[in-house]
Amino acid sequence: MEERERLLAACVRYFKERKSFDALFAKLCEKYRSLGRFGGAVTLSGLEAEDWQQLGGFLQKDLSGRRNCTISASALEKALQNSRFSCLTWEEILQAYFGRELTTGKETKSRETRQRERYFSDILEQTAEGSCREWLQRTLQGHREEGHQLLMKHYREDADGLRRVLRQVLDAAIRLPFLTVTAGEAGERPGPIGVSESFSGRREKVLLAVFAAQQTGDPHFFDTGTLGEQLLCAFLRSVLPQAPRGRLYGAEEKAALFFAAGLLKDDLSNHVLTYGISGCTVDGSIHEGMEGFRIRREPLVLTLRTIGSLSGVTAQGSKRVYIVENPAVFSVLVNEWPEETLLCGNGQIRLATLVLLDLFDTDTIFWYAGDFDPEGLQIAQRLKQRYQDRLHLWNYQSRYYEASRSQVAISDQSLKKLDRIDIPELQEIKEALLREKSAAYQEAMLDVYLTEKP
């Protein structure tokens, strides 16, 4: 045995002194992994003249002037048998050369699978019973579960980093405001964003940065784009089956998702301009501040913080709410229609607007009017898709567009947004925009709104 070991050491030393064998042996190991045995053939290329000479000397073959060469396992076996190392096998030579056992692809995959299973099993064992543990189990078992590929990707790239972040997310998730509600506190009435009260939990919302700092020590732990945010979103979409899905986009969807979980990404700058709205607080009393503005017939800016404290809102007068895109139009309509209820998205529909609209009872009808440009049609389509028959598009006809069309040209990049406008109610305006390539703004349609009030 000692003699064989000395011979194997001499063999390894021989090959390591000739650097041309590095590339050959590396390819032989790859071939072994794929075949599960020593066999087949490998191709070498790009070697220097000295390297070809060394290989040719061992193979007893003239390789001078070659750019590439295919070397078969049988040729290597023959060369080994004709050498002083004939009692050795290529398997033991390669193992000694690289200092590790040869493994097949199947064996490697099996070992990696066992390591991954132990890794996540350890995390599961440290996670308390409940929705967090159940979510992680579902995610790991289901390849189509949201979060599965995210976990696998970060496991491959940085297993230690993933363990740390995942543990913090799981520890934080069990302390989310919507999970702290008791069965007695939860009601059956649908809450904001279509999430039932049993999921939205207590009405007191927590700022996301504050929650992150309290639970992880880092106020930026759940910032946009972080692994913490991505994992928390995957968890929330799983445990909030009625949360917004497919109706909102990007940052807006995330903000709505966090709101449903009792977290506020931005509670003050996220607001909506209102007029003529009464609000009811969680304890059933009238919101005195809102009522004061309504009685005084003054517009009121409602922040997401205030809206999040309400259990419901009502329109004054008839059960209808007029929603416009631009503040100037809102201001004129407030003066002309003091008995009506109006909202203004101020050029966009923020989460605050959607949460507020969700608080009206289902008998309330919405009338929406916006600019006739690609961005305005996108807003109109999103609202129509969200509220369906409860929302009517106000004067979306080509004759109003033609009468109010401006000289402001729409860029080709902006026009491409019309490709995504597909609801029937907007096709007439869409075709007019594609034809004329210029916008029509709300301010130019004021007379139409005032004379043709629905």
Side-chain angles (χ1 to χ4, degrees):
M1 180 61 72
E2 291 182 1
E3 178 60 30
R4 188 179 184 88
E5 290 177 352
R6 282 196 294 270
L7 187 62
L8 180 59
C11 178
V12 169
R13 188 164 56 252
Y14 169 85
F15 287 123
K16 287 197 171 184
E17 289 172 351
R18 294 157 177 81
K19 66 184 183 67
S20 56
F21 288 95
D22 279 343
L24 174 62
F25 285 5
K27 285 187 174 283
L28 289 176
C29 284
E30 291 178 11
K31 182 62 68 173
Y32 185 92
R33 278 194 290 271
S34 63
L35 294 179
R37 59 182 174 80
F38 184 79
V42 297
T43 299
L44 296 178
S45 61
L47 300 183
E48 296 179 1
E50 184 181 353
D51 298 329
W52 288 121
Q53 185 178 0
Q54 290 174 356
L55 287 172
F58 179 75
L59 294 170
Q60 299 179 8
K61 185 177 180 180
D62 183 12
L63 300 180
S64 58
R66 293 290 190 94
R67 290 188 176 182
N68 56 66
C69 178
T70 298
I71 303 172
S72 66
S74 59
L76 288 167
E77 289 283 14
K78 181 179 179 181
L80 186 63
Q81 290 303 313
N82 292 331
S83 73
R84 60 191 178 98
F85 308 121
S86 58
C87 67
L88 302 175
T89 66
W90 276 112
E91 286 84 352
E92 59 185 325
I93 292 171
L94 290 171
Q95 287 180 163
Y97 186 90
F98 289 108
R100 63 175 184 269
E101 290 187 5
L102 292 177
T103 57
T104 65
K106 184 177 181 180
E107 291 170 339
T108 300
K109 186 175 181 180
S110 178
R111 184 178 66 250
E112 291 174 348
T113 298
R114 291 194 300 271
Q115 290 175 341
R116 185 174 63 249
E117 288 176 347
R118 285 197 298 270
Y119 171 91
F120 285 110
S121 178
D122 288 343
I123 296 176
L124 277 169
E125 288 177 2
Q126 298 172 39
T127 305
E129 294 287 345
S131 58
C132 294
R133 183 187 178 101
E134 292 169 2
W135 167 75
L136 183 56
Q137 286 177 319
R138 284 196 308 272
T139 302
L140 292 172
Q141 293 168 1
H143 288 257
R144 295 187 178 182
E145 284 285 328
E146 182 180 2
H148 181 87
Q149 294 303 319
L150 181 66
L151 290 174
M152 296 304 110
K153 174 180 180 293
H154 285 273
Y155 169 77
R156 292 190 298 268
E157 294 176 354
D158 182 8
D160 290 338
L162 174 62
R163 183 192 297 273
R164 175 182 57 80
V165 174
L166 183 56
R167 284 293 330 141
Q168 288 178 292
V169 170
L170 292 170
D171 288 343
I174 62 175
R175 297 175 176 85
L176 284 166
F178 85 98
L179 283 179
T180 62
V181 68
T182 65
E185 294 171 333
E188 297 299 324
R189 182 187 183 279
I193 325 295
V195 180
S196 67
E197 181 67 326
S198 58
F199 281 110
S200 60
R202 67 187 187 198
R203 286 292 184 177
E204 296 82 2
K205 310 297 180 183
V206 180
L207 283 169
L208 181 63
V210 173
F211 177 77
Q214 291 173 341
Q215 304 305 324
T216 72
D218 179 5
H220 303 292
F221 187 82
F222 295 116
D223 279 2
T224 300
T226 63
L227 178 58
E229 183 214 39
Q230 295 175 64
L231 289 171
L232 184 59
C233 283
F235 168 74
L236 291 176
R237 290 191 187 100
S238 176
V239 299
L240 293 174
Q242 293 176 290
R245 193 183 300 259
R247 296 171 294 174
L248 304 174
Y249 307 93
E252 184 182 274
E253 186 269 348
K254 290 178 183 176
L257 190 64
F258 285 130
F259 185 89
L263 300 172
L264 293 172
K265 294 198 74 171
D266 181 4
D267 65 335
L268 295 179
S269 63
N270 198 316
H271 58 264
V272 56
L273 185 57
T274 72
Y275 175 83
I277 292 180
S278 296
C280 184
T281 60
V282 176
D283 62 9
S285 61
I286 296 295
H287 191 290
E288 295 179 353
M290 293 176 63
E291 193 64 12
F293 273 85
R294 189 190 69 79
I295 292 172
R296 291 177 59 85
R297 294 188 170 180
E298 295 180 5
L300 169 66
V301 175
L302 285 178
T303 66
L304 189 57
R305 173 185 289 185
T306 299
I307 297 169
S309 70
L310 302 174
S311 60
V313 294
T314 56
Q316 67 175 1
S318 61
K319 280 184 170 291
R320 65 175 61 196
V321 177
Y322 296 94
I323 310 165
V324 295
E325 184 178 344
N326 300 312
V329 175
F330 173 86
S331 180
V332 171
L333 295 182
V334 164
N335 290 334
E336 296 296 326
W337 300 344
E339 303 299 327
E340 300 293 353
T341 300
L342 296 105
L343 302 181
C344 177
N346 199 20
Q348 56 185 303
I349 299 298
R350 296 185 178 92
L351 176 61
T353 305
L354 299 176
V355 176
L356 183 63
L357 290 175
D358 284 349
L359 287 173
F360 285 97
D361 63 50
T362 55
D363 293 335
T364 304
I365 301 300
F366 306 130
W367 287 87
Y368 178 76
D371 291 335
F372 290 164
D373 61 7
E375 293 74 18
L377 264 61
Q378 284 184 321
I379 295 174
Q381 175 164 284
R382 288 162 58 191
L383 288 172
K384 182 64 177 177
Q385 289 174 332
R386 182 180 179 88
Y387 296 104
Q388 300 293 320
D389 293 340
R390 290 183 63 198
L391 185 134
H392 301 286
L393 296 177
W394 185 6
N395 293 339
Y396 278 75
Q397 299 171 33
S398 60
R399 60 191 177 98
Y400 297 115
Y401 166 76
E402 295 294 347
S404 308
R405 183 160 59 91
S406 71
Q407 298 302 311
V408 179
I410 302 174
S411 68
D412 291 340
Q413 182 178 2
S414 182
L415 284 171
K416 289 180 181 178
K417 297 177 182 179
L418 294 174
D419 294 342
R420 297 190 290 272
I421 302 300
D422 52 19
I423 64 173
E425 294 89 339
L426 292 175
Q427 295 310 300
E428 189 174 335
I429 298 297
K430 171 183 174 180
E431 292 170 6
L433 289 172
L434 289 171
R435 182 177 62 252
E436 303 295 341
K437 297 181 174 55
S438 60
Y441 298 108
Q442 273 202 299
E443 291 83 351
M445 292 184 272
L446 263 172
D447 288 342
V448 175
Y449 299 145
L450 293 172
T451 58
E452 299 187 28
K453 177 183 176 183

